[in-house]
Amino acid sequence: MATYDQPHGYYGWSPGAATATISLEGVLIGWSEGARRLLGHRAGEVVGRAAAGLLAGPDPPDAAGLSLAGSQEWSGTAALRHRDGHLVELTLHAHPSLGGDGTPQGFVVTATTGRESEHDLRMVEWAFAQSSIPLSTYATASGSWQLNAAAEGGEQEVPTTPGEETRVTDGRQVAEDNPSPDSAPLGDARADKGFLECVRLVAEEGRSMRYERFGRAQPSARQRAWIIELWPVRDPATGEVVGVGTATFDSSEQRSARQRLALLKEAGTRIGTTLNVTRTAEELADLVVPRLADFVSVDLLDSVLLGEEPVPGPVDAAVVLRRVAHQSVTAGGDTPEAAVDLGEVDTYPAYSPPARSLSSGQSVLSGIDDPDFVRWVTEHRMRSTRVREFGLHSLMATPLRARGITLGVAVFVRGEGSEPFEQDDLLLAEELAGRAAVGVDNARRYTRERTNALTLQRSLLPRDLPRQAAVEVAYRYLPAGTGVGVGGDWFDVIPLSGTRVALVVGDVVGHGIHASATMGQLRTAVRTLADVDLPPDELLTHLDDLVIHLTSEDSGVETGLRDTTGEIGATCLYAVYDPVSRVCTLASAGHLPPAVLLPDGAVSVVQLTPGPLLGVGGLPFESTELELPEGSLLAFYTDGLIEARDRDVSLGLDRLCDALAHPVPSLEVTCDAILKALLPDSPPDDVALLLARTRALHADQVAAWALPADPAIVADARAQTSRQLAAWGLEDAAFVTELVVSELVTNAIRYGDVPIGLRLIRDRTLICEVSDASSTAPHLRRARTYDEGGRGLHMIAQLTQGWGTRQTTMGKTIWAEQPLPAG
């Protein structure tokens, strides 16, 4: 019978093992080919005979007896007789063969020679010692470790339990392990346990475990990592855990791959978070240092920073680039490795790695073994100094390209203490640079569109408010500070006849160029309708019709920016203030009401009858009249001022009223105080704010008369006008004014209805108004040679700086305005 061995409690079958099967009565019932080769007996010669017949000598060992009573395993030595008569010393191992009910049915006996057992034992020891995998065993009874050569000479040393004596086979004491904070049993909830604790857990709980250990690495260098498999070693006879076995495998490559994947995943959330070119470049630099490089720089074309469209394809090597971002592992947040300061320009020579990357459109891996790298560094004094000082030795230059357009170049550098870049690092850098390029290009395109939209929007908003005497005004306009684009908010101050003024504020729903263009159309329409001098409610009705018309025209039209299909949503508040009567008439089309601060300090929100949004159609608008004391302050605004995600409109209105209530020296300061009180540093929506402090024309500035419908009264009207001008000290204006009064009063008597009124207003100009009850408006026409009429209005138009007609509730008013005489 032959080789079955149990070195260190481990049973292993060898090919051709010598085995025999014995019944409970001690009769041989099975014989293997290995047994025939060992003892020479064929199966037919021994099967059915008593097993004791093979034993040499008259008295077999009592321990064996080969009656094999009971069900216990047994090991021992015995002398068996070979077929040719000589004796063979064997080591026997008997194992019970159990039936389905657990009772022994017989025994399987294996046999090995002493020479084979010793040789196999030595072979296992040799395999343990010579394994290229670091192996170790820990004996729980003695607390000693046995390490093979790979474990003793490798970087992974097996630690021992603190406070216990260390005993190893070569007499060398093994250092105690100090695992890094990242080291943890894989898949174990007790992730703060160290390696020694894992050994104790395996020994105590009798279960296998994995432990990952990391070596200490310099920034940007590949960190060494090992997976240590730990398993309990049991006594086969008792099942008791008598030790712990370990095998250590280098997992640096797997860990590096995991880190690369983690970095790419993080890049998806950290790069391109804003539509800002510079910030996107900074996000790339912040992400890769120190995890990929010790220093990184991002240089972009000036056209990219301006939002312009770069030339497609690779870039000429002589192109000028501007440094927009760089980052370093150096403590303190400085970047001493940089040879170019932020905001400065640099031109890379054609042979330099960055220039080669730009011209070819491919990434370049270079370093101190590259003659072009050495030449590039040597010819730049500052760059040469930095390379020597920080031991910079490895470089990757990756072009930033998106949609076939080259935007710039990212340069990754490693210095002293870090490993040179490898091809895997280059692939990772290309992926990161590609994601950053998409973010930069999106930001560039947004910058261009936003600049165009802001230019359009500002061209449509009033640059300088017109001079007028009715109100003192101040305003602020703030475009949205987020990436939503410019909106359609607008405001306007429109001088009207009779020293009145129209105050307008509105908002087009949406953002971008389309909203700005729609805002421009509505603002132009409001100015046109205001020039006709329509009341606020009638003006909004006409504006509502215009929005409906625009919606029908825009339906299904592609603007190139977005599909404009659908309704145009817009709000508008139109107010007319008359400084003579001190009455403000307001009407709203879905817009928020203004707030008013009275001279006595009382602040309130004006109660308006709300109207529908512009474009709804079919619903009326109502006007509200508000008599204001001189010096009252009206605050008009768009919803971006008072609405926010963290507060409702009512809270915003309360804050607006509080800000108005605090006394300030001027309207300009009041504007700033309101914005500071209600808005964050970067408002999420466009904001328009218009403040108007009312003035009043006193009795000594206005003269009015009621006139009968009698042609004879014209001379009396001229005389009254002359006397009033003399009282005002405006005798030099008497001739033109009397002529205007004569023509307008005559037309009112001839073509109008009673009552007829004459009014003179002295302010920054001299205004003459004649009103009557007829709604028929006069108009200029060319008088022929023999026509008796038609020349009066033409003459008035030539002698004054302006004239016009406005409809009133009682009829119409014709007015003419002329400048005051010098002095």
Side-chain angles (χ1 to χ4, degrees):
M1 301 193 354
T3 61
Y4 186 72
D5 197 64
Q6 104 177 81
H8 292 271
Y10 173 78
Y11 286 94
W13 291 92
S14 63
T19 62
T21 306
I22 303 175
S23 69
L24 293 177
E25 292 77 16
V27 177
L28 285 167
I29 58 175
W31 190 258
S32 72
E33 178 64 19
R36 185 197 66 78
R37 288 197 300 269
L38 181 64
L39 295 177
H41 301 285
R42 294 182 177 88
E45 298 173 346
V46 294
V47 172
R49 296 170 54 186
L54 297 175
L55 297 175
D59 298 319
D62 183 62
L66 292 186
S67 63
L68 301 172
S71 61
Q72 297 297 319
E73 294 183 1
W74 173 87
S75 295
T77 60
L80 278 74
R81 188 175 302 279
H82 194 272
R83 187 171 184 270
D84 61 7
H86 74 273
L87 298 181
V88 180
E89 292 289 337
L90 296 176
T91 301
L92 302 179
H93 306 280
H95 310 275
S97 175
L98 305 180
D101 57 357
T103 59
Q105 305 296 314
F107 291 86
V108 176
V109 179
T110 62
T112 60
T113 65
R115 178 183 56 81
E116 291 173 332
S117 177
E118 180 181 357
H119 180 272
D120 291 348
L121 176 61
R122 296 294 296 168
M123 185 180 66
V124 172
E125 293 177 353
W126 296 336
F128 176 84
Q130 299 172 20
S131 171
S132 61
I133 300 173
L135 300 173
S136 67
T137 59
Y138 172 73
T140 57
S142 63
S144 64
W145 286 91
Q146 288 187 352
L147 289 73
N148 68 356
E152 292 175 356
E155 297 181 56
Q156 170 64 36
E157 293 186 341
V158 180
T160 185
T161 306
E164 293 185 356
E165 182 181 359
T166 303
R167 294 186 297 275
V168 293
T169 55
D170 61 355
R172 180 177 58 86
Q173 181 166 322
V174 181
E176 182 180 337
D177 182 40
N178 291 308
S180 68
D182 291 335
S183 300
L186 298 184
D188 196 284
R190 290 163 288 193
D192 59 334
K193 302 293 185 180
F195 174 74
L196 297 180
E197 182 65 18
C198 291
V199 173
R200 280 190 283 269
L201 289 174
V202 172
E204 292 172 2
E205 300 178 7
R207 62 184 180 88
S208 299
M209 186 178 292
R210 274 187 175 185
Y211 179 81
E212 187 169 22
R213 184 175 186 232
F214 308 128
R216 287 158 178 80
Q218 296 292 331
S220 80
R222 178 175 297 175
Q223 188 178 29
R224 296 297 304 276
W226 299 269
I227 295 290
I228 305 175
E229 298 279 354
L230 301 96
W231 64 91
V233 178
R234 302 177 184 273
D235 185 330
T238 64
E240 179 186 359
V241 176
V242 296
V244 176
T246 75
T248 303
F249 304 92
D250 192 329
S251 61
S252 301
E253 288 294 334
Q254 295 89 329
R255 176 170 174 78
S256 179
R258 293 200 306 268
Q259 289 176 328
R260 287 194 295 268
L261 290 175
L263 190 60
L264 287 175
K265 180 180 179 181
E266 191 173 345
T269 59
R270 288 187 54 183
I271 298 178
T273 60
T274 66
L275 290 172
N276 181 281
V277 171
T278 300
R279 182 58 196 145
T280 302
E282 291 173 347
E283 289 169 346
L284 171 62
D286 293 341
L287 178 66
V288 301
V289 174
R291 297 163 69 177
L292 178 61
D294 296 331
F295 171 79
V296 64
S297 65
V298 181
D299 298 345
L300 299 178
L301 301 172
D302 273 340
S303 58
V304 175
L305 297 173
L306 297 175
E308 300 172 358
E309 189 79 12
V311 178
V315 176
D316 190 296
V319 70
V320 176
L321 299 172
R322 189 174 299 276
R323 179 65 51 83
V324 295
H326 54 212
Q327 186 57 273
S328 166
V329 295
T330 305
D334 298 328
T335 52
E337 300 94 334
V340 178
D341 293 333
L342 287 176
E344 291 188 356
V345 297
D346 193 13
T347 301
Y348 294 110
Y351 55 82
S352 65
R356 285 154 49 196
S357 172
L358 288 170
S359 59
S360 65
Q362 302 294 325
S363 298
V364 173
L365 180 60
S366 182
I368 56 176
D369 55 348
D370 181 359
D372 287 337
F373 174 85
V374 176
R375 179 184 173 191
W376 173 52
V377 169
T378 305
E379 293 183 357
H380 192 286
R381 184 180 60 84
M382 181 63 71
R383 188 168 287 116
S384 177
T385 301
R386 295 291 184 260
V387 168
R388 289 195 307 270
E389 181 179 355
F390 296 97
L392 307 180
H393 59 80
S394 187
L395 175 146
M396 296 186 298
T398 305
L400 299 176
R401 304 186 76 242
R403 300 187 304 111
I405 297 173
T406 300
L407 308 170
V409 63
V411 178
F412 307 85
V413 183
R414 282 182 179 174
E416 185 177 1
S418 297
E419 300 174 359
F421 288 117
E422 299 177 354
Q423 198 63 33
D424 288 345
D425 298 318
L426 189 64
L427 296 176
L428 177 60
E430 288 176 346
E431 182 67 25
L432 294 174
R435 298 194 181 193
V438 172
V440 169
D441 189 54
N442 289 339
R444 176 194 63 79
R445 297 170 66 188
Y446 167 76
T447 300
R448 182 186 62 187
E449 299 299 339
R450 178 175 171 81
T451 300
N452 293 339
L454 280 174
T455 301
L456 172 63
Q457 188 179 48
R458 294 190 184 281
S459 68
L460 297 174
L461 290 171
R463 297 182 181 179
D464 296 313
L465 297 181
R467 296 182 61 188
Q468 42 77 39
V471 292
E472 175 191 1
V473 295
Y475 66 92
R476 292 289 185 274
Y477 178 81
L478 298 178
T482 62
V484 297
V486 295
D489 294 17
W490 93 91
F491 65 94
D492 214 340
V493 177
I494 308 172
L496 302 177
S497 62
T499 68
R500 297 169 307 128
V501 66
L503 304 169
V504 192
V505 65
D507 185 6
V508 176
V509 176
H511 296 85
I513 291 181
H514 182 74
S516 296
T518 303
M519 175 269 289
Q521 292 175 302
L522 296 183
R523 178 172 178 262
T524 302
V526 169
R527 294 187 70 90
T528 302
L529 295 172
D531 191 57
V532 182
D533 234 327
L534 294 177
D537 54 342
E538 293 186 27
L539 183 142
L540 292 181
T541 299
H542 286 283
L543 194 62
D544 184 53
D545 294 337
L546 172 64
V547 172
I548 295 175
H549 180 67
L550 292 176
T551 301
S552 63
E553 284 187 346
D554 285 346
S555 179
V557 176
E558 283 284 344
T559 64
L561 296 176
R562 67 176 181 88
D563 190 354
T564 60
T565 302
E567 297 182 352
I568 298 174
T571 65
C572 183
L573 177 65
Y574 185 81
V576 175
Y577 174 68
D578 186 349
V580 177
S581 64
R582 302 192 309 280
V583 172
C584 183
T585 306
L586 310 95
S588 171
H591 202 85
L592 295 165
V596 59
L597 169 64
L598 299 178
D600 61 3
V603 184
S604 62
V605 177
V606 177
Q607 299 300 314
L608 295 179
T609 301
L613 290 172
L614 295 174
V616 174
L619 297 175
F621 299 95
E622 296 185 26
S623 294
T624 300
E625 291 189 351
L626 183 67
E627 186 172 350
L628 298 172
E630 182 178 6
S632 299
L633 180 60
L634 288 165
F636 301 89
Y637 51 89
T638 55
D639 57 2
L641 180 68
I642 64 170
E643 290 184 357
R645 293 181 178 179
D646 58 345
R647 66 168 185 259
D648 56 21
V649 175
S650 60
L651 180 58
L653 289 174
D654 291 340
R655 291 186 179 180
L656 173 61
C657 292
D658 291 341
L660 281 175
H662 291 81
V664 289
S666 67
L667 291 186
E668 296 292 336
V669 177
T670 303
C671 283
D672 294 335
I674 291 175
L675 296 182
K676 183 177 180 180
L678 275 77
L679 295 179
D681 295 335
S682 181
D685 194 5
D686 286 13
V687 174
L689 173 65
L690 177 64
L691 299 183
R693 179 174 284 130
T694 63
R695 294 170 177 164
L697 294 181
H698 301 130
D700 60 348
Q701 295 179 271
V702 181
W705 302 273
L707 305 176
D710 183 358
I713 200 63
V714 176
D716 186 50
R718 288 199 303 269
Q720 289 176 319
T721 299
S722 180
R723 288 192 293 272
Q724 185 61 52
L725 292 178
W728 285 341
L730 302 177
E731 293 87 347
D732 292 345
F735 175 77
V736 174
T737 307
E738 289 181 16
L739 181 59
V740 170
V741 167
S742 179
E743 289 295 331
L744 295 182
V745 171
T746 298
N747 287 342
I749 293 173
R750 181 178 298 179
Y751 304 110
D753 294 326
V754 293
I756 300 172
L758 170 63
R759 186 169 73 167
L760 297 178
I761 301 175
R762 175 183 62 84
D763 189 51
R764 296 180 179 179
T765 59
L766 180 61
I767 300 172
C768 176
E769 296 180 343
V770 174
S771 59
D772 66 81
S774 172
S775 59
T776 303
H779 61 278
L780 282 175
R781 65 182 178 87
R782 183 181 298 278
R784 295 177 175 84
T785 304
Y786 299 104
D787 288 348
E788 295 183 357
R791 296 179 178 85
L793 289 179
H794 182 74
M795 182 172 54
I796 291 175
Q798 297 299 315
L799 294 176
T800 62
Q801 69 179 24
W803 76 278
T805 303
R806 68 173 179 268
Q807 298 294 321
T808 65
T809 56
M810 299 295 295
K812 68 176 180 296
T813 297
I814 305 173
W815 56 270
E817 184 176 2
Q818 56 183 307
L820 296 177

